[in-house]
Amino acid sequence: MSVSMNDKQYEAMTHVDGPLLIIAGAGSGKTRVLTHRIAYLIDHEDVNPYNIMAITFTNKAAGEMRERIDNIVGLGSESIWVMTFHSTCVRILRRHIQEIGYDNNFTIYDTDDSKSLMKGVFKKLQIDPKQLKEATVLREISKAKDELLGPNEYKEQNQADFGKKKFIDCYYEYQEQLRKNNALDFDDIIRMTVYLFKACPEVLENYQNRFKYIMVDEYQDTNTAQFELIRLLASKYRNLCVVGDDDQSIYKFRGANIMNILNFENIYDDAKVIKLEQNYRSTKSILEAANAVIRNNTGRKSKALWTSREDDEPIHYRQYDSSRDEAYDVVDKIKKYQGQYEYGDCAILYRTNAQSREFEEYFVRANIPYQIVGGINFYARREIKDLLAYLKTVDNAQDDLQVKRIINVPKRGIGATSIQKIQDYADSHDMSFFEACRSSVMIPGMGKASEKISRFVMMIDVYKKRLEESSIMDVMEQILEDTAYIELIKEEDEDNGEERIENINEFLSKIKSYEEENPENTLSQFLEEVALISDLDSVDEGTSRVLMMTVHSAKGLEFPVVFLTGMEDGIFPSYMTINSGSDADMEEERRLAYVAITRAKDILNISSARSRMVRGETQYNPLSRFIKEIPSNLIKGEMPKQKVRLEEKYSEQSSARAFFKDMPFSKEPVKLTKGSEISSAGGELDYGIGDSVAHIKFGQGVVKNIVKGPRDYQVTVEFESCGQKVMYAAFAKLRKL
């Protein structure tokens, strides 16, 4: 095998036996190394392709790796497992989950399904959602599952904490409902696989003997459950190669544990460590900026990206007066780039999804095509969820959640009272909701609803029978015909009906293409593929359009032109991180900045705004500390020398009048000296300009300006923790110190 690689890449490719840690900096060609390493194992070490596994995190990454491996390896590559963690575990569970009490045709619940199930749990346990949020409980359960804590282990760990009692009760009931529905939520997929391996050593040994060579991509993003899964699989032969970059560990909020990669040599004391530092993506200025920022973190492995690219352009920086000015100018620049770059070459990155709105408005005005990554997933749309619920009921009628979703869609005259009677009957007879529907004539008080329910059961049975003899597409078309679902949309939703029907047509196209590409696959496998699709997998690559996304969503992607926006303290890094005082949280936020910078290949534009409306409040935030960490010689554009202070910038009366004229409540600034007191709509203020005050959320600060309005005063305060903020006196409730 003849292949061009740098020395470190070649060393990583040809290291065969024992644990191997490849520290791969951004753009250093890690996927190339992984794919060629697989080919090297087969061509030079006579490893059977059947004994190789490669795992990554997204379907997109797995698909790219699969394509490269097929092209390089050729014959025999189909027996190599190349897939995501979740796809790997689902394949194992489909074959063996009956060993731990589930049926093989289990359903996979998405986020909406889990929320619906938790609503039922709250109702059964009589928990008031105003006092405890369902989403809060689901997050706690997800964290527990990531740490491999089932309901019993979670109870044992938290039984002394009275505040966790409701969480414990909810976890038990939630898990019981999942089992009853023969369903797994997303976190269960990996947890249950680990549980299967520990409960059934013979199953584990079977997969250990199969996968003698294991490769894991993006290892810095693994959580405890994923770490344990890989540890178990690799424990017999120990030929484990993990690839990752601790500087790109940005998913702590999802349970990722950076210590998995930082402690690799401690867990495998004979591990070989190879660093890939040559970058093939970005210009010298971009890499030097990224290196300068990340160097401020202490919890990392030392490395520095470099490039042999000779072309270079400085980083462009601009501070705007407002976020609207920022959005307008970014869109204008993208327009001007046309001719040199396509729309699809440009990406706008921001810290939070809420920042996308102003960019959207200007894109629409400029008639520039764009796509927001991380919006509503196609498969989470109401009409698609309905049709999927029909298919899921046909595939697994034990899933009460799906049956209840469609039993009266379209309306069949089966009301909430009848549904509750069926559920009560199912609970008292320890059967599924669908089984209880079969016995509706036996349920007291059902009346005419019993006949309607029987017709519904018969319809599902017909679809099950038809599926044995025909395709998923045939069954789906029959469902649409029998339910007149499209006609229902036309009647009920004149505003969005056309778009929803287009979504249904797209769903039919998906079924058709799936069956053409996978003629031997079952309905369960189709539903499994749909359940494992993520937001990034839905990025439309066929049309040239500007992509907008959070930095978290951008990881793994690259663009010739990047606009990194909203770079202010309080936005990026966030107030939550700044106020937490946690070094670990700030280091994760800095890694996020590092990821953002290294998405750019040719041109990096960075911007901030002096004022930004957040949650209806105008904020005046200082420049992001991460931008200050970039050497000034790398930046083209004027960097603020100090914090902007309104009383300095608008010291002259004419300037002040110009600044405040657009504020709906404002008049001219009130001329006050330190200690002066004024009265507001809410009574007397006991502070004036120059006084130290305290805010219940933002802590201590100094009053910088007070502006008189028709009903209240607007107070500008420079807070020690988060910079300048402008707020109404009546709402701020500032206390003079």
Side-chain angles (χ1 to χ4, degrees):
M1 179 178 63
S2 176
V3 59
S4 174
M5 286 194 167
N6 65 44
D7 292 345
K8 290 297 181 182
Q9 288 177 329
Y10 186 81
E11 184 182 1
M13 180 186 76
T14 56
H15 182 86
V16 174
D17 296 319
L20 171 63
L21 170 61
I22 303 174
I23 300 292
S28 61
K30 63 183 177 64
T31 304
R32 174 180 167 82
V33 171
L34 274 180
T35 53
H36 281 88
R37 185 173 188 271
I38 289 172
Y40 184 86
L41 289 172
I42 296 168
D43 293 345
H44 293 265
E45 300 295 328
D46 294 325
V47 174
N48 190 328
Y50 181 83
N51 296 131
I52 299 174
M53 166 192 274
I55 299 181
T56 188
F57 273 81
T58 67
N59 293 308
K60 185 173 184 290
E64 289 174 357
M65 193 181 294
R66 171 92 267 171
E67 185 177 353
R68 291 199 203 185
I69 288 172
D70 288 347
N71 290 336
I72 296 169
V73 174
L75 188 65
S77 67
E78 68 280 356
S79 60
I80 303 170
W81 276 29
V82 183
M83 56 188 73
T84 65
F85 272 99
H86 287 93
S87 296
T88 298
C89 290
V90 168
R91 182 178 289 193
I92 293 170
L93 291 173
R94 287 286 181 213
R95 296 176 183 174
H96 304 284
I97 199 170
Q98 74 278 2
E99 304 283 349
I100 53 175
Y102 284 77
D103 290 341
N104 295 75
N105 65 331
F106 59 84
T107 301
I108 300 171
Y109 276 10
D110 62 17
T111 304
D112 287 339
D113 294 332
S114 294
K115 287 177 182 174
S116 298
L117 192 63
M118 186 56 72
K119 283 183 181 178
V121 169
F122 268 45
K123 187 175 180 180
K124 184 171 182 178
L125 298 180
Q126 297 183 323
I127 296 174
D128 185 354
K130 293 179 182 177
Q131 295 183 352
L132 179 64
K133 300 296 183 186
E134 292 143 3
T136 303
V137 177
L138 284 169
R139 277 196 300 272
E140 183 73 7
I141 291 174
S142 178
K143 282 164 55 180
K145 290 182 176 182
D146 284 348
E147 294 299 320
L148 295 173
L149 300 176
N152 291 331
E153 294 84 2
Y154 181 78
K155 178 181 179 181
E156 186 177 329
Q157 193 174 95
N158 296 284
Q159 58 188 352
D161 186 346
F162 181 76
K164 292 289 179 72
K165 185 181 185 308
K166 287 184 179 178
F167 289 90
I168 294 169
D169 294 341
C170 287
Y171 193 177
Y172 270 105
E173 184 60 31
Y174 175 77
Q175 211 58 30
E176 180 59 33
Q177 291 298 323
L178 280 172
R179 182 178 285 275
K180 182 183 172 187
N181 292 354
N182 193 37
L184 303 179
D185 67 15
F186 222 62
D187 298 304
D188 271 332
I189 293 172
I190 297 175
R191 183 179 75 92
M192 286 300 191
T193 308
V194 172
Y195 178 74
L196 168 70
F197 284 163
K198 291 183 176 180
C200 306
E202 68 283 358
V203 175
L204 172 60
E205 187 174 16
N206 173 50
Y207 285 100
Q208 286 174 335
N209 289 332
R210 161 128 200 210
F211 301 120
K212 295 177 180 177
Y213 291 87
I214 300 172
M215 274 152 277
V216 184
D217 195 10
E218 305 289 4
Y219 193 67
Q220 77 281 347
D221 293 335
T222 54
N223 59 29
T224 299
Q226 291 159 339
F227 167 83
E228 184 63 10
L229 174 78
I230 296 302
R231 188 193 68 80
L232 288 169
L233 282 171
S235 60
K236 185 171 184 179
Y237 293 97
R238 304 182 82 255
N239 294 321
L240 173 62
C241 168
V242 303
V243 184
D245 181 5
D246 51 299
D247 288 337
Q248 296 186 71
S249 179
I250 59 172
Y251 294 125
K252 182 181 177 183
F253 69 98
R254 292 184 189 167
N257 185 355
I258 192 174
M259 299 313 295
N260 289 347
I261 191 167
L262 292 179
N263 284 340
F264 189 82
E265 301 103 303
N266 297 331
I267 297 160
Y268 300 97
D269 55 10
D270 57 337
K272 172 81 171 176
V273 180
I274 299 172
K275 294 180 183 178
L276 305 182
E277 297 173 291
Q278 183 174 357
N279 177 284
Y280 293 91
R281 175 192 300 162
S282 306
T283 63
K284 182 180 178 183
S285 291
I286 291 170
L287 296 181
E288 288 185 359
N291 289 334
V293 170
I294 202 64
R295 200 177 292 125
N296 291 279
N297 275 5
T298 57
R300 63 185 292 262
K301 293 180 180 292
S302 176
K303 73 187 82 66
L305 297 177
W306 62 277
T307 182
S308 59
R309 277 185 67 168
E310 295 182 0
D311 60 316
D312 195 18
E313 183 167 341
I315 293 166
H316 300 270
Y317 170 77
R318 183 168 177 186
Q319 184 183 54
Y320 298 92
D321 283 335
S322 70
S323 56
R324 291 194 68 80
D325 291 340
E326 177 186 44
Y328 174 84
D329 198 52
V330 166
V331 171
D332 188 56
K333 282 181 178 177
I334 289 174
K335 205 188 311 182
K336 290 175 180 175
Y337 276 134
Q338 299 313 295
Q340 183 182 2
Y341 293 100
E342 299 288 328
Y343 286 131
D345 293 329
C346 302
I348 298 175
L349 308 184
Y350 35 72
R351 180 65 180 82
T352 64
N353 277 309
Q355 292 167 250
S356 69
R357 181 187 60 81
E358 290 175 323
F359 294 107
E360 279 193 88
E361 290 177 5
Y362 285 115
F363 276 134
V364 171
R365 292 181 191 179
N367 198 29
I368 293 176
Y370 68 92
Q371 179 182 358
I372 296 178
V373 177
I376 298 176
N377 186 301
F378 175 79
Y379 296 102
R381 299 173 194 270
R382 175 182 156 195
E383 58 276 10
I384 306 303
K385 292 279 286 183
D386 285 345
L387 299 184
L388 279 170
Y390 270 100
L391 292 178
K392 288 176 180 178
T393 299
V394 172
D395 185 56
N396 172 26
Q398 288 177 252
D399 189 346
D400 293 357
L401 201 65
Q402 309 306 326
V403 179
K404 286 181 182 178
R405 182 181 182 98
I406 58 166
I407 194 170
N408 206 34
V409 175
K411 287 183 170 56
R412 300 183 174 91
I414 304 172
T417 303
S418 297
I419 291 173
Q420 188 58 52
K421 287 178 181 177
I422 298 169
Q423 186 61 62
D424 292 342
Y425 185 85
D427 292 342
S428 62
H429 290 77
D430 193 24
M431 60 174 61
S432 72
F433 184 85
F434 191 76
E435 287 177 294
C437 287
R438 287 192 186 280
S439 307
S440 60
V441 293
M442 309 288 292
I443 302 175
M446 290 300 292
K448 294 181 180 179
S450 176
E451 184 180 344
K452 297 168 185 174
I453 292 165
S454 296
R455 284 203 295 268
F456 170 73
V457 170
M458 189 182 304
M459 180 176 67
I460 297 299
D461 286 340
V462 168
Y463 298 150
K464 283 178 178 286
K465 182 66 178 174
R466 179 158 187 169
L467 188 64
E468 295 174 6
E469 303 165 352
S470 59
S471 67
I472 303 171
M473 187 68 171
D474 289 338
V475 172
M476 190 72 260
E477 287 178 333
Q478 186 177 351
I479 290 170
L480 288 170
E481 182 179 341
D482 292 347
T483 60
Y485 191 87
I486 290 177
E487 287 72 19
L488 179 72
I489 289 176
K490 289 177 181 177
E491 292 173 8
E492 293 186 348
D493 195 349
E494 292 183 7
D495 293 337
N496 303 306
E498 186 175 343
E499 181 181 343
R500 294 178 65 195
I501 292 168
E502 287 175 1
N503 290 336
I504 291 173
N505 290 333
E506 178 63 26
F507 182 57
L508 294 175
S509 299
K510 165 65 180 177
I511 295 174
K512 185 71 173 176
S513 61
Y514 177 84
E515 290 192 308
E516 288 174 353
E517 294 168 10
N518 308 276
E520 303 300 320
N521 282 12
T522 63
L523 174 58
S524 292
Q525 289 166 313
F526 169 73
L527 294 172
E528 171 189 314
E529 177 171 303
V530 167
L532 297 179
I533 288 175
S534 70
D535 291 339
L536 285 182
D537 298 318
S538 64
V539 172
D540 182 3
E541 296 181 346
T543 308
S544 181
R545 57 185 67 198
V546 180
L547 288 184
M548 293 195 289
M549 66 191 81
T550 65
V551 181
H552 280 104
S553 296
K555 185 172 174 293
L557 304 178
E558 58 183 51
F559 307 93
V561 181
V562 167
F563 292 85
L564 178 52
T565 63
M567 291 303 291
E568 304 125 34
D569 267 8
I571 303 296
F572 197 175
S574 67
Y575 278 128
M576 188 179 297
T577 299
I578 294 170
N579 292 334
S580 74
S582 166
D583 290 341
D585 289 349
M586 186 58 74
E587 293 211 350
E588 172 129 348
E589 200 86 353
R590 186 174 283 108
R591 291 194 292 270
L592 196 59
Y594 173 84
V595 166
I597 292 168
T598 54
R599 296 313 92 196
K601 296 169 69 175
D602 303 333
I603 300 174
L604 174 60
N605 297 276
I606 299 176
S607 57
S608 63
R610 292 186 180 93
S611 68
R612 184 178 300 276
M613 186 74 75
V614 179
R615 292 181 295 277
E617 179 184 272
T618 301
Q619 294 184 353
Y620 295 86
N621 297 318
L623 178 66
S624 170
R625 64 196 67 194
F626 301 144
I627 303 307
K628 294 177 182 177
E629 292 169 357
I630 299 175
S632 58
N633 65 295
L634 299 176
I635 294 178
K636 181 180 180 181
E638 186 177 346
M639 296 285 284
K641 297 292 188 296
Q642 57 190 13
K643 292 181 181 177
V644 177
R645 300 184 185 277
L646 293 183
E647 70 276 14
E648 295 173 3
K649 185 171 179 61
Y650 300 100
S651 56
E652 296 180 11
Q653 192 176 34
S654 60
S655 297
R657 186 179 293 113
F659 177 70
F660 288 107
K661 71 180 176 62
D662 293 329
M663 295 187 178
F665 59 85
S666 63
K667 305 294 182 186
E668 299 224 1
V670 180
K671 301 295 184 181
L672 293 175
T673 58
K674 181 171 181 177
S676 298
E677 295 183 0
I678 61 174
S679 62
S680 75
E684 293 294 321
L685 291 182
D686 63 353
Y687 54 81
I689 294 173
D691 284 335
S692 295
V693 293
H695 185 276
I696 190 170
K697 177 179 177 183
F698 304 122
Q700 294 186 16
V702 176
V703 177
K704 294 298 180 183
N705 204 13
I706 299 175
V707 181
K708 185 178 181 180
R711 292 181 301 277
D712 199 358
Y713 288 89
Q714 188 188 50
V715 184
T716 301
V717 181
E718 180 83 28
F719 288 103
E720 295 174 2
S721 64
C722 54
Q724 274 192 6
K725 285 191 171 295
V726 181
M727 56 195 77
Y728 290 115
F731 289 107
K733 294 183 173 62
L734 297 170
R735 179 171 54 85
K736 183 177 178 181
L737 297 177

